[in-house]
Amino acid sequence: MDFVLARHRIVTVSLVLFGCVLVTFIGNLVSRAETPVNRVTEAHQGFQEGKCKSCHPAIWREWENSMHAKAWVDEIYQEFADQIEDRETKCDQCHAPQPILITGVGKMPKLRDEQRASGVSCLVCHLDSEGAMHGPQASAETYFHANVTNPIYTVPTTLCSTCHGQSTVPEHDQVSSFLNSKFAEGNKSCATCHMPVVNRLQSTASYESIKGRKHTWRGSRSVAQLRRAATLQLEILPEKVSVKLQSKTGHILPGGTLRTIILEAKFLSSDGAERQKEQVPISAKAQNRLLPNEERIYIFDTLSGAPGGTITVRLMYQLTPKTPESEWILMGEKTHVVH
Ligand code: HEC
Ligand code: HEC
Ligand code: HEC
Ligand code: HEC
Ligand code: HEC
């Protein structure tokens, strides 16, 4: 009897012990899953496995085709960065950054160790140190991430300035010229021109269309955006043509230091033969970029224009110093026929 009782006790004690171990083990798992570090890791895994894409297909598609998605794989970037000895400390931190809500909005970003090919990813702009997604006001909830309403997204110039406005990197600064212009008045921001407003379901789990913004960031690769950048007006004077160029861009134009805008004046005789051609480069290198809204007059001397001849003034865009004239993009054109 004693023997039976003892066995019974042993079984009970073992079960209790086993139970304790199990509870501790599960408890550990649960508490591990809930630590912020783990939620941040899960967000990175989810991004890589296509979870953001499956719940936010429209925003994903826009981002994927933007230069933010290509900020690391971009061949032009890699070619220039390869020429820099300390690229890991001087260049790479903005082209493959850690989430900026974690490293600090407005502070110089830090280089990530993983997933560099995804450049300026969703997580770079939205993920905080707790694994939550910050954004404008949401209309629905999800089990995958917490939503945090954060006012910096509604007028996001400060967010953009983390990479587009570091005072130690003036080559990539569109923010300071913007802040000194009428384009910054009221609630206007970088998003006014680069993230057009759209009403839609923000995710496949949403049930209500609400106001959001397109994640397209059209800039130097968009003909439509380039055509909006400036206007041309001609005035024909005796033996001269006066060209009024006015910037409509919200910042210094061209916005990047690698780009050149070419103002060209061409004079053709009535039989179509080219009699004269002049080109003026406008670039950081030529130190004559246009300020926001700036109006500038260029005067071209014409040979005494015989009737039937034409004067054509064009504005063209050269992406890099290597881009051949045949690939320049037409930004605007005005023609005058001499009577
Ligand atoms: C299971 C579906 C689901 C997954 C997976 C998901 N989201 Fe969301 N997300 C939502 C829903 C639902 C909302 C709220 C949408 C609304 O307001 O209509 C949302 C909102 C957001 C917001 C806005 C938050 C706010 O408060 O304004 C951001 C940013 C966001 N998601 C980013 C991401 C990123 C990045 C990933 C991948 C790491 C991701 N989401 C994965 C469903 C999901
Ligand atoms: C974490 C850094 C970072 C933040 C934040 C950021 N950008 Fe960018 N952005 C970049 C980088 C890097 C590129 C250049 C990619 C390339 O061409 O290789 C870029 C490119 C662009 C382009 C150029 C596209 C083109 O066609 O040349 C636009 C427009 C742009 N960003 C707008 C914005 C706006 C608006 C915001 C704020 C909502 C913003 N960016 C926030 C890093 C950032
Ligand atoms: C403070 C963040 C930051 C740092 C640091 C930085 N970049 Fe960039 N880079 C940007 C942003 C933002 C853009 C897009 C806007 C622009 O062109 O000014 C960009 C664009 C570029 C482009 C144009 C790419 C294209 O497709 O035309 C090149 C080239 C480039 N960067 C090279 C470099 C090199 C080389 C370094 C290091 C010497 C560097 N960047 C450091 C933020 C940064
Ligand atoms: C360069 C920074 C940047 C990147 C990269 C970025 N977003 Fe956003 N996102 C914003 C800003 C700014 C807003 C606020 C727009 C507004 O006012 O509606 C926003 C808003 C959102 C919203 C709320 C809906 C809306 O349109 O306002 C969702 C959801 C979202 N982003 C998801 C994503 C996902 C998913 C990715 C990657 C595919 C991504 N974002 C990449 C800056 C970014
Ligand atoms: C009034 C409209 C407007 C506003 C506001 C505006 N932009 Fe632009 N942006 C343009 C136009 C037009 C272009 C194309 C011409 C050019 O490259 O400068 C452009 C081009 C760019 C480029 C590409 C430059 C290059 O050389 O590749 C970047 C980057 C950029 N903008 C960032 C910003 C940022 C950051 C802000 C906020 C500080 C901003 N923009 C505000 C109209 C605007």
Side-chain angles (χ1 to χ4, degrees), residues 140-168:
E141 298 212 6
T142 163
Y143 66 88
F144 188 71
H145 58 72
N147 289 333
V148 177
T149 304
N150 184 330
I152 65 166
Y153 292 81
T154 323
V155 182
T157 305
T158 309
L159 184 89
C160 312
S161 76
T162 309
C163 303
H164 290 269
Q166 286 291 340
S167 57
T168 52

Side-chain angles (χ1 to χ4, degrees), residues 67-68 71 74 94-95 97 100 120 124 159-160 163-164 190 194-195 217 219-221:
M67 288 312 292
H68 282 148
D74 177 14
C94 294
H95 289 260
I100 59 172
V120 179
V124 171
L159 184 89
C160 312
C163 303
H164 290 269
C190 308
H194 292 292
M195 297 183 76
W217 299 288
S220 58
R221 271 77 169 183

Side-chain angles (χ1 to χ4, degrees), residues 94-326:
C94 294
H95 289 260
Q98 291 175 29
I100 59 172
L101 292 174
I102 298 178
T103 57
V105 172
K107 291 202 186 130
M108 179 64 89
K110 294 197 176 121
L111 176 61
R112 321 195 263 283
D113 294 327
E114 286 155 5
Q115 299 177 5
R116 286 188 186 167
S118 57
V120 179
S121 72
C122 320
L123 307 173
V124 171
C125 288
H126 289 293
L127 181 70
D128 78 3
S129 58
E130 308 271 302
M133 297 298 164
H134 290 222
Q137 187 125 33
S139 73
E141 298 212 6
T142 163
Y143 66 88
F144 188 71
H145 58 72
N147 289 333
V148 177
T149 304
N150 184 330
I152 65 166
Y153 292 81
T154 323
V155 182
T157 305
T158 309
L159 184 89
C160 312
S161 76
T162 309
C163 303
H164 290 269
Q166 286 291 340
S167 57
T168 52
V169 189
E171 302 87 321
H172 293 320
D173 179 6
Q174 286 81 34
V175 173
S176 51
S177 51
F178 165 80
L179 289 178
N180 288 319
S181 76
K182 68 162 186 143
F183 295 100
E185 283 165 11
N187 272 342
K188 285 187 262 172
S189 73
C190 308
T192 310
C193 300
H194 292 292
M195 297 183 76
V197 168
V198 58
N199 270 294
R200 62 180 170 194
L201 291 176
Q202 301 191 347
S203 76
T204 50
S206 308
Y207 42 83
E208 190 187 346
S209 288
I210 59 171
K211 177 182 158 287
R213 286 184 179 273
K214 286 196 177 178
H215 282 52
T216 41
W217 299 288
R218 301 239 191 284
S220 58
R221 271 77 169 183
S222 153
V223 176
Q225 190 71 283
L226 293 177
R227 283 181 169 262
R228 277 193 285 268
T231 56
L232 285 176
Q233 266 176 285
L234 301 194
E235 199 187 340
I236 311 298
L237 305 166
E239 318 232 320
K240 277 185 181 56
V241 52
S242 155
V243 180
K244 187 155 92 184
L245 175 63
Q246 181 167 21
S247 171
K248 298 286 178 193
T249 303
H251 39 76
I252 199 156
L253 176 71
T257 48
L258 209 54
R259 325 289 184 210
T260 303
I261 286 172
I262 298 104
L263 179 65
E264 180 189 83
K266 225 182 201 175
F267 306 97
L268 304 182
S269 55
S270 54
D271 59 4
E274 185 178 304
R275 298 192 51 200
Q276 201 180 332
K277 175 169 135 178
E278 278 181 56
Q279 292 184 332
V280 183
I282 299 168
S283 66
K285 191 167 165 234
Q287 296 183 316
N288 60 352
R289 287 195 284 173
L290 291 148
L291 291 173
N293 224 32
E294 183 179 342
E295 216 177 75
R296 208 180 276 173
I297 309 268
Y298 288 90
I299 307 276
F300 295 94
D301 290 326
T302 58
L303 306 171
S304 53
T310 53
I311 299 170
T312 302
V313 175
R314 302 203 285 172
L315 199 61
M316 286 168 299
Y317 189 82
Q318 184 186 29
L319 191 66
T320 81
K322 283 203 232 156
T323 313
E325 194 164 336
S326 59

